[in-house]
Amino acid sequence: MTAQRIDGNALSQQIRAQVAADTAALKAQGLTPGLAVVLVGDNPASQVYVRNKVKACQDAELHSVLEKYEATMSEADLLARVEALNNDPQIHGILVQLPLPAHIDAQKVIEAISPAKDVDGFHIASAGALMTGMPGFWPCTPYGCMKMIESIGYDLRGKHAVVIGRSNIVGKPMALMLLQQNATVTICHSATPDLKAHTLQADVIVAAVGKRNVLTADMVKPGAVVLDVGMNRNEEGKLCGDVDFDGVSQVASFITPVPGGVGPMTITMLLVNTLESAKRALSAEH
Ligand code: GUN
């Protein structure tokens, strides 16, 4: 079997076109969705990420502001900026890019963001909403994975999903989203003694570890759907995921490539969340 690729660029384009259309419709009602992106310090990867986020807003014609601060900014000053954005009616989404400098308590900053504007879905209130099935914001990367599964018309009910990785921003929320769609979910992690014993049982595998070749062909049941959240570099400096793409492609039914898979979906879902926040703000007015 040669797996079909799930093309994250193509799916992103489709969803972003819909976001642009919905944004135009909201503007016609007098409301422009707005995202504030806050970057503290000069982490080179973060600079690329925030540039891409702002560019995506511009392309879909959302309002966006990029606030850049020196790495020496105090925690108190950052908390004051977040509070000002919480109270800014032009801003519907607030994203404080991580990592933050070591002298700033990142969790404290995240908890200072109004849950109504937490388009990253990192606030404890957002995590609680996801856990209990209440309205909130879902973290963008696992949310993007769910859209990719939906895009192939795959019904998760009664299927066995194995998530490799237990981070707060991918593994744990991913498991909850799959559970919400009635999958039976296993979370594997660095202390799992026999990862292969679990993955061989899986109809769906999400690899979100940050290590190359965590998943190889011998670990995959024929016909499984494989999503690769990893972003690593190989010896030649080439971008690659957590999955041995060439090997696993011979066994799986669907697979996401790296690059061009889950990556572009993360920013797309940030736009979706920002638009959704603006829609909620509008309906709260009426
Ligand atoms: N750093 C790396 N990825 C992310 C993300 O999705 N959101 C934020 N705020 N920081 C990040």
Side-chain angles (χ1 to χ4, degrees), residues 46 49 53 95-99 120 122 140-141 169 266:
S46 292
Y49 289 141
K53 288 168 186 178
L95 183 149
V96 179
Q97 186 68 24
L98 303 178
D120 250 338
F122 292 172
C140 300
T141 299
I169 60 173
T266 298

Side-chain angles (χ1 to χ4, degrees), residues 49 70 112 115 118 125 140-141 151 153 174 177 191 209 227 235 260 262-263 267 282:
Y49 289 141
E70 300 288 323
D118 176 37
C140 300
T141 299
S151 77
M174 184 80 246
M177 290 173 200
V209 175
L227 286 91
E235 298 87 1
V262 175
I267 296 185
L282 190 64

Side-chain angles (χ1 to χ4, degrees), residues 145-165:
C145 290
M146 293 305 285
K147 283 284 172 196
M148 295 182 104
I149 295 171
E150 187 187 306
S151 77
I152 58 169
Y154 189 86
D155 183 3
L156 285 161
R157 172 177 286 273
K159 297 297 198 308
H160 187 183
V162 170
V163 178
I164 317 173

